[in-house]
Each structure stands twice: as structure tokens, then as C-alpha cells.
Amino acid sequence: MLKVELTLRNFHEQDAATRYCYLLADGTQSPTLRLNPGDLLILTLKNELTNEPAAPEPNAAAPEPNAAAPEPKVAARQPLDPCRSGLMAPTSTNLHFHGLSVPPVCHQDEVLKTSIQPGDPPFEYRVRIPANQPPGLYWYHPHIHGFSNAQVLGGASGALIVEGLERVNPQTAGLPERVLVIRDQDLLNPAAPPSKFEPVVPKMLIDRDGDSANNGTGFGKPAKDLSVNYVAVPYPDYPPSGLRMKPGERELWRVLNASSVTYLNLAVLFDRAAQQLGIVAIDGVPLNENGDPKNAVVWRDHVGMPPGSRAEFILSAPAAGATGLLVTRTVDTGQGGENDPNRALLALIPAADAPHANSALPDRASLPARLKPPALAALPWLGNVPPVRVRKLYFSEKLQDPADPNSATTFYLTVDGQTPAPFDPGSDAANIVVKQGEVEDWIIENRSTELHAFHIHQLHFLVMDASGTPVDEPFLKDTVNVPYYNATMLQYPSVRLRMDFRGPNTVGTFAYHCHLLEHEDGGMMGRIRVLPANASSD
Ligand SMILES: [Cu+2]
């Protein structure tokens, strides 16, 4: 059992930015939670958020939430039932355990109705990690519709590790481990020109979200700054902090892209040469989860990570005298997307006296060297189960004033055949109803000119094909990028996902959405109801 008492606080900066952080009583910020399969997590969350102080001018760049959020009534406030109120206000909060197959019910992993207000007593989460939860990196963050972006962008997120990777993948046994949480935030130096060391100076464009638009060069002002374990690496010069490593030592890096909108394309450079990264797990699931030993370690010189995703990989520290750099390379997010340019994240500094346990980024431990056998998978491999039906969903966007390219955008995630509508937090109607035990194929199409990241709560899926071409990725994900459309294409890009509703913990009502949180808050979300296997089907 792991007992944790978290307090969520915010701090209003003078530049109108608001920072958010989970705190333990001893001041630890957004702790990494470590649990074994079968463990019980008892987490109490105290909401100490405060409203924005009165500002002389409203921040014109702040995205308008799609649904008009009622302000909490100050006078004679009746205590609201945190399990039922569904109040979506700037100071409301709750928790989502991203990637865990735990039930979508209140006090566990329910986010559509659960809402905790400032002044409420500490709210208790009791989450049993399933015995068959794959070992790897998961995370927790708030999920209040309309305000997820502000809270996560401000820093409200933390890592959660399900222990036991070495049981599934013996090549990771005994490796020193680092947890890197990469977050994005509003630019610290928004008025600065690009660094004079950049080879091109692209024209500045603003996209529909009010962020720096993709200019296609790999340079220029990013939409957001990035930070590594809360250490910002700001535009325009991206000064990386230093990570001291024992020369040549192999380590396991567990990387979370906790960004609100920023895509990552990670590479590790030694004297400018991209190094091989031994990927062992994606989205918390070992690549050899299906028992195929050839997928135990997949070597690549870069790792693409949409917002919300995780990658765990083996790498070797630079040799003595060499220099290393963790970078994210530019991601082409589409004509309508944000600018995600090339930038440094972390300098890797070989040092014989580098501490093992208490480095500049303190979150480091070692995996056990002693092997215990993994729990046997109880169900047939998802890729071998034929789907009972196929559905198509599509991402789309609409300018509220089609004549004005700078007008606000509405974001849709629509089940094909239904009328596009932004997510309605006040409704109980499910867009999709399935029965526990079923397996479906979902084709997720992108009809917009920017990338979207499809995510569903409670379960993992398998990517079967991309725009009709089979994909050989025999491992599970909970977040997947969907390529953007442009007018020269003959069809909308898509991915085909094998959706697994076999787990008993999928029963209930939960969300699927785009994990670019500006889009989710703007309406790009839907509701699915999974009925018990024995429910009558009328
Ligand atoms: Cu999106």
C-alpha cells in the first residue's frame, strides 16, 4: 500500500502566468509514485487553488473555454458533492491516472463528474493497481473539462511507475534509472527575437490557438517553452542544465511528455552524432509484452512522443571527454499546427565522480537485479482477436467566423454518422456504447490541417494500420499521433486501432479525446459507455 497526501497549489506570476504544483507535506514537488502490480494507492488530494488576482488587463491570448463555466457561488455556498457536481471552474480539480486500467468510478479514475473545490476536505482516491498492469511509466494530472490545459500547462502533473519492468525484460535488470518529466509552459521571453545562432529567421505567424504557428523551418519562436523536471530551457537560447553521468554507464531513461500541446522528437547527440536508443517500453507497456523476444529492445536514433505519451529506453552515458546533449528535433505539426522547433533539453556531462543517487535531477534509482517471473498474460494477444465491429471517428476543426482566420476555433471529435458537436460536459449521453468483453477496430481520421493525439482512458490499444498500410508495431499504446490533412491529399490520413474492452475495469462511462489540451478543452472529446458483459442488449 502507498499512502500519499497531495496538495494542489497555484501561484500567480507577475507576467500573468499561473504555475501549478502538487506538494507533499515536506515540500516535495509532484512526487513520482512507485507501486507494484496489485498494490493499493491511497491518495488524498487537497485543493488549495486560488482564482487569478485582479489583473489590470485581461490576457487576450488566453484561450476561451468552450463551455461558459459557472463561477463558484461565493455567497452561502452549499458544499457540492465532489462525486456528482461536475462543476468545471478554474479552481476546480480532480485526478486522472493516465494509462492505468482502473475503474472509471468516483474515488478511482472518474473525471467527467468528479470535481474537487477549494475548501473541500481532502478527497480520497483508492486505486488498486491491477495484478496484470504492465510494468512501466504512467502519470497523473487534472482533467477538468475547459481547464485541463491551464492546470497541466502550469505544471500540474507527475509520474507514476508500476514496478517490475526487469521481470518482463531482463535486459533492464539492475540498470540505474532516471525519470524525466518534460512539461511545456508559456514562453518566458515571448518578445525575444530568435537566437542569432539560428541559420534562418522565419516570419512569425500565430495559429488559431494564439500560439506561434508551425513555419516549417525547424527554427523560430516555439509555441511553448519546455522544462525538464521543472527546470525550464527557455527560448531563444535554450540553455540546457547539466546532468552528470558516470562515463559510458548504461542507464534506463523513463521519459514522460507531460506537455499540454508540444510534440517531442527526442534524440541524444554525442559530438553532434545521434546515438542509438534502446526502446524497451512505450506508454507504460514493455515492447515484448506479447511474449515476442525480438521486441525486447528496439534500437532507434530518435523517439517521437505526442503529448501524453511515454518512452522508456536504454542509453549509454558519453565517454570521458565527450559531450552529450538530449535534444528534441523539430516536429512538422501541419499548416494549422504549433511551432515545435529544434532545441536542446539537457547537457550530458561525463564525470567519474557523478553521484549515483543524487544527481542534478534527483529522481534516480536502480531496477532490481533479482528476477522474478512475470505474471502470465491471462487473455489472448489483442492482435490475434478479430474485432466484432468497426467504427470510424474523425478529428475536425471549424472557425467560428469562416471569413475571419483569426476567429476562435471549435474542435470536434465525431463518431462518423453523428452530427459534429463539441463535447458537452452537462450531458450524460454516450457517443459510443460497447459491452465489456468486446474488441473493436476504430479508424481515427484527421480532417484538419494539424496533428492530433488520440487518447482513451482505462485501456490500451494496438495500432493496426496507418491510412490503410499495415503497421508492424506489435505493442500497446494509450496515446497515438494522427497525421494531418492537407489539400493535396486524395484521402484523409487515419490510423486503425484495435480497441480492447475485455478488461473488467473498463465497465463504466469514460472519455476519449485529443491529448493536445487546448483541443480537448475546446471540445475535442467524446464519451463512451462500456456495459457489463451480461447487460441486456436492446
Ligand atoms: Cu488535437
Side-chain angles (χ1 to χ4, degrees), residues 34 177-179 229 231 243 356-365:
R34 293 176 174 274
E177 167 211 81
R178 288 182 202 272
V179 178
N229 292 3
V231 180
L243 175 66
H356 257 299
N358 199 9
S359 56
L361 296 164
D363 215 328
R364 178 171 152 139

Side-chain angles (χ1 to χ4, degrees), residues 388-518:
V388 297
R389 65 186 73 80
V390 179
R391 297 177 200 264
K392 184 195 275 186
L393 291 78
Y394 60 92
F395 289 114
S396 63
E397 303 180 9
K398 199 172 83 183
L399 283 173
Q400 285 171 9
D401 176 2
D404 176 6
N406 292 320
S407 69
T409 306
T410 308
F411 295 91
Y412 306 97
L413 175 47
T414 309
V415 178
D416 195 29
Q418 299 179 4
T419 304
F423 179 78
D424 176 5
S427 167
D428 280 324
N431 304 94
I432 293 175
V433 179
V434 306
K435 263 191 192 180
Q436 190 249 319
E438 292 180 331
V439 168
E440 298 193 344
D441 271 8
W442 289 12
I443 297 167
I444 316 289
E445 215 168 62
N446 189 346
R447 300 185 183 178
S448 79
T449 59
E450 65 174 317
L451 299 182
H452 298 289
F454 177 83
H455 169 59
I456 186 166
H457 292 202
Q458 288 20 90
L459 59 101
H460 282 73
F461 48 75
L462 196 58
V463 181
M464 304 302 290
D465 74 40
S467 297
T469 303
V471 167
D472 183 23
E473 291 182 355
F475 45 85
L476 302 172
K477 292 184 175 183
D478 59 40
T479 308
V480 65
N481 177 49
V482 188
Y484 62 80
Y485 170 73
N486 74 48
T488 66
M489 293 174 176
L490 298 175
Q491 61 173 9
Y492 295 117
S494 66
V495 293
R496 185 187 184 103
L497 309 178
R498 187 141 300 167
M499 308 295 292
D500 189 353
F501 302 103
R502 292 175 299 173
N505 289 349
T506 61
V507 172
T509 302
F510 52 96
Y512 55 86
H513 58 87
C514 176
H515 220 290
L516 278 71
L517 300 180
E518 292 171 352

Side-chain angles (χ1 to χ4, degrees), residues 229-252:
N229 292 3
Y230 285 132
V231 180
V233 194
Y235 167 81
D237 293 322
Y238 311 117
S241 57
L243 175 66
R244 300 171 77 227
M245 302 174 75
K246 292 217 178 280
E249 188 174 58
R250 270 162 78 96
E251 297 190 348
L252 174 73

Side-chain angles (χ1 to χ4, degrees), residues 192-206 212-222 235-236 238 330 339-342:
S195 163
K196 60 181 188 292
F197 298 107
E198 294 207 342
V200 292
V201 182
K203 192 164 166 250
M204 288 303 163
L205 301 167
I206 301 297
S212 298
N214 179 24
N215 60 49
T217 66
F219 298 98
K221 191 187 289 186
Y235 167 81
Y238 311 117
T330 187
N339 201 35
D340 291 343
N342 296 292

Side-chain angles (χ1 to χ4, degrees), residues 289-290 377-386 439 462 476 500 502:
E289 174 78 6
N290 70 348
L379 295 166
W381 175 241
L382 182 59
N384 297 333
V385 180
V439 168
L462 196 58
L476 302 172
D500 189 353
R502 292 175 299 173

